[in-house]
Amino acid sequence: MATTFDVSTKQTGTEPACRACAVAVENVHKRFANHNVVDGVSICVKSGETLAILGRSGTGKSVLLRLIIGLVTPDAGSLCILGQEIAGMSLDQLGEVRKKMGFLFQHAALYDSLTVGQNVAFPLVHHRTDMSKAERGERVNQLLTEVGLEGALNKMPSNISGGMQKRVGLARALALDPEILLLDEPTAGLDPISSGEIDELVLKLQSEHQMASIVVTHDLHSAKTIATRLALLDRGRVVIEGTFEDLERSDIELVKQFLK
Amino acid sequence: MTTVPATAPNLPVPESPSVPEAGPPSAGLVVGFFEWFGNIGIFGWQVLKAAVTPPFEFRELIRQLDDVGSKSLPLVALAGGAIGVVLSMEVRSSMSRFGATSLLPSAIVYSIVQEMGPTITGLVVSGRVGAGIGAELASMKVTEQIDAMEASAVNPYRLLAATRILACVLMLPLLTAAADACGILMGWLAQTLVSPISLHQFIDSGFRGATLGDFLPPTFKTAVFGLIIGLIACYQGMSTRGGAEGVGRAATNSVVLASLFVILADVVLVKLILVLFH
């Protein structure tokens, strides 16, 4: 069953709802060029949960993820990550919170001048200065094995397929053992077999690491497979939030259309 | 199952961590002009804050010093040498009209060290490094690599911008010294082919009566050129939008604006040097 907040009482990082959820988004608004992209969204994701955010293109799903990781700042509302209000934080303060988060970009966003191994090692090089080079190499190999890319260490991102790039992106997102994992369309543009593999991988990682995960997707099958709850966004608002069965039982026309 | 109502409380707008956009002028040229200066000022402040706080990106700085410095050296040396030859030919023609060919070494040395060397170095580096930084960062921006860096808790102002700007500031005076040396050497060569003179004699005559105040300020003023080139190129790159077209625009704008501001800054710096050192 979904959770919503009484927004009038929960606006800072010290409130109970903020402490109860790994990711607590409360009444967040974001406007681009007179267009309300995110229009009063409230969600809560606890550790061990996976929330899938569904919706048509341009309904603000990716912007919501970018708000959560601080790449976009909200016009209004509260964004509480692991008990800390991130709105208004400086870039370095935000960096401390981001170290506990992993983000898989829609197009993987790998550093094209670095090898696969260097891409995965990037967060370790910058944040795990206590690690020796050998330990770092071991960790990179472990992460690549975890995502099924043992032999790709020295390949360049341009020389691997889209599915492999997503896996590398996932390995990079997991490098610092995040408590929160954000996945922006992890199966978009992939064939059904690769999509299935990515879904299995996310499920496996989820059961092993018990992170709070938010997955933005158009892929209903993928959402049903990996998510514990789903939220349907339309014109920047959450239309419905609940389990897949809740959505199936809904009599809201948009939900029915979407499930068709 | 829950349907979620949306009401908007008026909460404070937080400070944006993103790079201010280098969009087209929104309300005419004047507003666009001030908007650009305002945005680059904010960008510069963000870079400065990142540059003076740890962790310091020494490895990336060394990579950038190599990229800006040693990889620009052949081009700068060639340009400096060409200017030396041209100056030698031009000045000889003018001087001989007034029967002042004995002043030729001084004219060449002073022209190169005080103005031609620094300006040519600034313009060559604007072209090579400015375009390179602008295109590289713009490409990273449009492919979300800079966002990925931020998402990995790495400050792009520190890793990408501060290192490149600092490399430009440190390397420009050294490249200028190299351009000056090549210019003087080639100036002597062009001179000695027409009217033989030893290098020692040429240098001795060229630098006669000169003080450090004549040569150091013009050389070190190029650190300001480096700041201009690095800042403009990083800003144009990191604030670009619009795919491949945006990358092209960022590269072009970096070169054009950096070259323009190098020349404009030179006017101010020359006057400043004349006031302070002469």
Side-chain angles (χ1 to χ4, degrees), chain B residues 115-138:
Chain B
E115 195 48 49
M116 298 305 287
T119 310
I120 289 299
T121 305
L123 294 176
V124 168
V125 175
S126 291
R128 200 195 85 82
V129 177
I133 291 175
E136 184 189 10
L137 297 189

mmCIF file of all heavy atoms in Angstrom, chain B residues 115-138:
data_model
loop_
_atom_site.group_PDB
_atom_site.id
_atom_site.type_symbol
_atom_site.label_atom_id
_atom_site.label_comp_id
_atom_site.label_asym_id
_atom_site.label_seq_id
_atom_site.Cartn_x
_atom_site.Cartn_y
_atom_site.Cartn_z
ATOM 1 N N GLU B 115 55.223 43.164 -27.456
ATOM 2 C CA GLU B 115 53.866 43.096 -27.981
ATOM 3 C C GLU B 115 53.560 41.896 -28.870
ATOM 4 O O GLU B 115 52.578 41.184 -28.650
ATOM 5 C CB GLU B 115 53.545 44.397 -28.753
ATOM 6 C CG GLU B 115 52.085 44.585 -29.024
ATOM 7 C CD GLU B 115 51.215 44.355 -27.790
ATOM 8 O OE1 GLU B 115 51.526 44.925 -26.725
ATOM 9 O OE2 GLU B 115 50.241 43.570 -27.863
ATOM 10 N N MET B 116 54.426 41.665 -29.871
ATOM 11 C CA MET B 116 54.065 40.634 -30.852
ATOM 12 C C MET B 116 54.039 39.238 -30.236
ATOM 13 O O MET B 116 53.095 38.477 -30.477
ATOM 14 C CB MET B 116 55.054 40.649 -32.038
ATOM 15 C CG MET B 116 55.077 41.937 -32.815
ATOM 16 S SD MET B 116 53.457 42.424 -33.418
ATOM 17 C CE MET B 116 53.217 41.250 -34.722
ATOM 18 N N GLY B 117 55.037 38.927 -29.455
ATOM 19 C CA GLY B 117 55.110 37.589 -28.843
ATOM 20 C C GLY B 117 53.903 37.292 -27.971
ATOM 21 O O GLY B 117 53.198 36.294 -28.179
ATOM 22 N N PRO B 118 53.618 38.162 -26.980
ATOM 23 C CA PRO B 118 52.446 37.905 -26.133
ATOM 24 C C PRO B 118 51.137 37.830 -26.905
ATOM 25 O O PRO B 118 50.319 36.941 -26.670
ATOM 26 C CB PRO B 118 52.437 39.113 -25.179
ATOM 27 C CG PRO B 118 53.855 39.570 -25.129
ATOM 28 C CD PRO B 118 54.417 39.308 -26.488
ATOM 29 N N THR B 119 50.947 38.768 -27.841
ATOM 30 C CA THR B 119 49.669 38.788 -28.567
ATOM 31 C C THR B 119 49.506 37.556 -29.443
ATOM 32 O O THR B 119 48.446 36.919 -29.453
ATOM 33 C CB THR B 119 49.571 40.069 -29.425
ATOM 34 O OG1 THR B 119 49.876 41.178 -28.595
ATOM 35 C CG2 THR B 119 48.192 40.241 -30.014
ATOM 36 N N ILE B 120 50.582 37.238 -30.182
ATOM 37 C CA ILE B 120 50.506 36.070 -31.074
ATOM 38 C C ILE B 120 50.281 34.793 -30.250
ATOM 39 O O ILE B 120 49.462 33.942 -30.597
ATOM 40 C CB ILE B 120 51.804 35.955 -31.917
ATOM 41 C CG1 ILE B 120 51.839 37.072 -32.963
ATOM 42 C CG2 ILE B 120 51.937 34.598 -32.584
ATOM 43 C CD1 ILE B 120 50.685 37.038 -33.952
ATOM 44 N N THR B 121 50.983 34.684 -29.125
ATOM 45 C CA THR B 121 50.795 33.499 -28.275
ATOM 46 C C THR B 121 49.349 33.427 -27.781
ATOM 47 O O THR B 121 48.713 32.361 -27.834
ATOM 48 C CB THR B 121 51.755 33.548 -27.065
ATOM 49 O OG1 THR B 121 53.079 33.704 -27.552
ATOM 50 C CG2 THR B 121 51.675 32.279 -26.237
ATOM 51 N N GLY B 122 48.839 34.560 -27.334
ATOM 52 C CA GLY B 122 47.453 34.601 -26.859
ATOM 53 C C GLY B 122 46.479 34.160 -27.934
ATOM 54 O O GLY B 122 45.570 33.360 -27.680
ATOM 55 N N LEU B 123 46.684 34.643 -29.158
ATOM 56 C CA LEU B 123 45.756 34.315 -30.242
ATOM 57 C C LEU B 123 45.891 32.852 -30.691
ATOM 58 O O LEU B 123 44.895 32.186 -30.952
ATOM 59 C CB LEU B 123 45.957 35.268 -31.428
ATOM 60 C CG LEU B 123 45.578 36.730 -31.136
ATOM 61 C CD1 LEU B 123 45.890 37.617 -32.334
ATOM 62 C CD2 LEU B 123 44.109 36.856 -30.754
ATOM 63 N N VAL B 124 47.137 32.381 -30.754
ATOM 64 C CA VAL B 124 47.345 30.975 -31.164
ATOM 65 C C VAL B 124 46.730 30.031 -30.130
ATOM 66 O O VAL B 124 46.035 29.072 -30.478
ATOM 67 C CB VAL B 124 48.856 30.675 -31.365
ATOM 68 C CG1 VAL B 124 49.103 29.181 -31.484
ATOM 69 C CG2 VAL B 124 49.377 31.383 -32.602
ATOM 70 N N VAL B 125 46.959 30.340 -28.857
ATOM 71 C CA VAL B 125 46.404 29.476 -27.803
ATOM 72 C C VAL B 125 44.871 29.594 -27.758
ATOM 73 O O VAL B 125 44.181 28.603 -27.524
ATOM 74 C CB VAL B 125 47.048 29.795 -26.431
ATOM 75 C CG1 VAL B 125 46.399 28.996 -25.312
ATOM 76 C CG2 VAL B 125 48.544 29.480 -26.475
ATOM 77 N N SER B 126 44.358 30.801 -28.035
ATOM 78 C CA SER B 126 42.892 30.947 -28.119
ATOM 79 C C SER B 126 42.332 29.981 -29.152
ATOM 80 O O SER B 126 41.305 29.341 -28.921
ATOM 81 C CB SER B 126 42.508 32.362 -28.552
ATOM 82 O OG SER B 126 42.799 33.273 -27.559
ATOM 83 N N GLY B 127 43.006 29.922 -30.278
ATOM 84 C CA GLY B 127 42.543 29.045 -31.359
ATOM 85 C C GLY B 127 42.669 27.585 -31.002
ATOM 86 O O GLY B 127 41.691 26.835 -31.051
ATOM 87 N N ARG B 128 43.860 27.161 -30.612
ATOM 88 C CA ARG B 128 44.080 25.733 -30.370
ATOM 89 C C ARG B 128 43.424 25.251 -29.075
ATOM 90 O O ARG B 128 42.612 24.330 -29.078
ATOM 91 C CB ARG B 128 45.587 25.430 -30.304
ATOM 92 C CG ARG B 128 45.920 23.972 -30.546
ATOM 93 C CD ARG B 128 47.340 23.619 -30.114
ATOM 94 N NE ARG B 128 47.399 23.301 -28.706
ATOM 95 C CZ ARG B 128 47.086 22.115 -28.180
ATOM 96 N NH1 ARG B 128 46.666 21.153 -28.963
ATOM 97 N NH2 ARG B 128 47.166 21.905 -26.895
ATOM 98 N N VAL B 129 43.752 25.904 -27.994
ATOM 99 C CA VAL B 129 43.266 25.433 -26.684
ATOM 100 C C VAL B 129 41.804 25.829 -26.456
ATOM 101 O O VAL B 129 41.004 25.029 -25.964
ATOM 102 C CB VAL B 129 44.169 25.978 -25.552
ATOM 103 C CG1 VAL B 129 43.655 25.566 -24.192
ATOM 104 C CG2 VAL B 129 45.597 25.485 -25.752
ATOM 105 N N GLY B 130 41.469 27.067 -26.839
ATOM 106 C CA GLY B 130 40.088 27.527 -26.649
ATOM 107 C C GLY B 130 39.099 26.624 -27.361
ATOM 108 O O GLY B 130 38.112 26.173 -26.777
ATOM 109 N N ALA B 131 39.376 26.338 -28.617
ATOM 110 C CA ALA B 131 38.472 25.466 -29.385
ATOM 111 C C ALA B 131 38.440 24.068 -28.786
ATOM 112 O O ALA B 131 37.383 23.444 -28.682
ATOM 113 C CB ALA B 131 38.924 25.411 -30.839
ATOM 114 N N GLY B 132 39.609 23.586 -28.387
ATOM 115 C CA GLY B 132 39.699 22.226 -27.824
ATOM 116 C C GLY B 132 38.899 22.095 -26.545
ATOM 117 O O GLY B 132 38.091 21.173 -26.403
ATOM 118 N N ILE B 133 39.105 23.048 -25.625
ATOM 119 C CA ILE B 133 38.384 22.983 -24.346
ATOM 120 C C ILE B 133 36.882 23.159 -24.584
ATOM 121 O O ILE B 133 36.056 22.402 -24.052
ATOM 122 C CB ILE B 133 38.902 24.074 -23.367
ATOM 123 C CG1 ILE B 133 40.330 23.751 -22.918
ATOM 124 C CG2 ILE B 133 37.985 24.193 -22.153
ATOM 125 C CD1 ILE B 133 40.972 24.840 -22.053
ATOM 126 N N GLY B 134 36.537 24.152 -25.410
ATOM 127 C CA GLY B 134 35.114 24.414 -25.672
ATOM 128 C C GLY B 134 34.415 23.191 -26.237
ATOM 129 O O GLY B 134 33.351 22.785 -25.758
ATOM 130 N N ALA B 135 35.030 22.569 -27.238
ATOM 131 C CA ALA B 135 34.404 21.413 -27.890
ATOM 132 C C ALA B 135 34.369 20.204 -26.956
ATOM 133 O O ALA B 135 33.360 19.491 -26.889
ATOM 134 C CB ALA B 135 35.164 21.076 -29.169
ATOM 135 N N GLU B 136 35.461 19.976 -26.235
ATOM 136 C CA GLU B 136 35.527 18.802 -25.350
ATOM 137 C C GLU B 136 34.470 18.882 -24.241
ATOM 138 O O GLU B 136 33.714 17.925 -24.011
ATOM 139 C CB GLU B 136 36.927 18.713 -24.713
ATOM 140 C CG GLU B 136 37.109 17.478 -23.849
ATOM 141 C CD GLU B 136 38.413 17.484 -23.047
ATOM 142 O OE1 GLU B 136 39.085 18.531 -23.015
ATOM 143 O OE2 GLU B 136 38.728 16.442 -22.460
ATOM 144 N N LEU B 137 34.406 20.039 -23.578
ATOM 145 C CA LEU B 137 33.449 20.170 -22.477
ATOM 146 C C LEU B 137 32.012 20.200 -22.990
ATOM 147 O O LEU B 137 31.105 19.647 -22.357
ATOM 148 C CB LEU B 137 33.751 21.412 -21.633
ATOM 149 C CG LEU B 137 35.103 21.427 -20.914
ATOM 150 C CD1 LEU B 137 35.184 22.607 -19.947
ATOM 151 C CD2 LEU B 137 35.356 20.137 -20.149
ATOM 152 N N ALA B 138 31.818 20.826 -24.162
ATOM 153 C CA ALA B 138 30.459 20.856 -24.729
ATOM 154 C C ALA B 138 30.003 19.443 -25.083
ATOM 155 O O ALA B 138 28.858 19.064 -24.837
ATOM 156 C CB ALA B 138 30.429 21.749 -25.963
#
